[in-house]
Amino acid sequence: MCTLIGGTLMGTAAAGALFFSTAKVNKAKYPVFGVDVSNYQGDINWQELESQNVSFAFIKATEGSGHTDESVRRNLDRAAFTGIKVSAYHFFSFDSAGDTQADNFISSVSPDEIDLPPVIDIEYYADKRSNKPSKEETEKILCPLISRLEEHYGTKPIIYTTLPVYLRYIKGSFSDCPLWIRSVNCEPDLIDWKFWQYSDKGTLTGYDGEEEHIDLNVYNGSVEDFEKEFPKPNNKKALS
């Protein structure tokens, strides 16, 4: 009995340590570094971000069927004057139709403004963690959204998500979409991911918003892999 109790306590302690630990990133293995931003980072100096080895950035554009991020236009315009490869992301709503969500994003982001595929950010919000939508309900919204974005931008959208949401809604059904996974406690080495958000407590210089932190990410591959998969666009604006 003591052995059983001791083993249980050790297992609980190990799980607790993992939960409160911070993911460690092997920079030699994942040398391509990036960020994701929204209006919470305020006024961003994109040249300064670039000077800190930021190679890519995901910029919040829209949410649901009616919300547009206040900074999306400024961020897309200013990032275009750098060598940072950008995409824009849409925060998925479980509460509105996929077609109207697609309309919202498409009206906010032109295909020639992004260098990486568009992103759908699907995660629990409000009461959805305790009152989880069914897989069928979610697919009814997500399928037309993915289809519309793929048709408009000419590529499968990236799906950003957490592990619980991935396991419930994405795995199997939408595995053909590149995966951007959030895992701030450990490396997600048991799933096939394209981008990994490893920290939501990063600090860089070059932004001045109400949020002091910035999310940090890496690409799953070498610099050469990244350049081959996402070639340097020829439509970047010249520095003035």
Side-chain angles (χ1 to χ4, degrees), residues 7 9 34 39-40 81-82 94 118 126 130 134 145 154 158 160 179-180 182 200 202 221 224 229 235 239:
L9 290 175
N39 191 56
Y40 288 117
F81 287 96
T82 73
F94 291 97
S130 57
S134 71
L145 174 57
I158 295 168
Y160 166 92
L179 179 65
W180 172 19
R182 170 185 166 86
D200 57 4
E224 292 75 19
E229 185 167 6
N235 63 340
L239 290 171

Side-chain angles (χ1 to χ4, degrees), residues 186-240:
C186 60
E187 181 175 343
D189 54 1
L190 297 180
I191 56 177
D192 183 19
W193 54 270
K194 184 71 65 178
F195 294 94
W196 166 26
Q197 184 188 90
Y198 66 88
S199 176
D200 57 4
K201 300 296 182 185
T203 53
L204 298 174
T205 60
Y207 58 94
D208 183 21
E210 60 181 273
E211 174 55 67
E212 64 176 304
H213 296 113
I214 191 167
D215 295 337
L216 306 180
N217 305 269
V218 288
Y219 165 78
N220 193 358
S222 66
V223 173
E224 292 75 19
D225 293 334
F226 185 69
E227 294 299 330
K228 183 178 180 179
E229 185 167 6
F230 307 111
K232 184 176 181 180
N234 56 17
N235 63 340
K236 284 292 186 182
K237 298 176 183 177
L239 290 171
S240 57

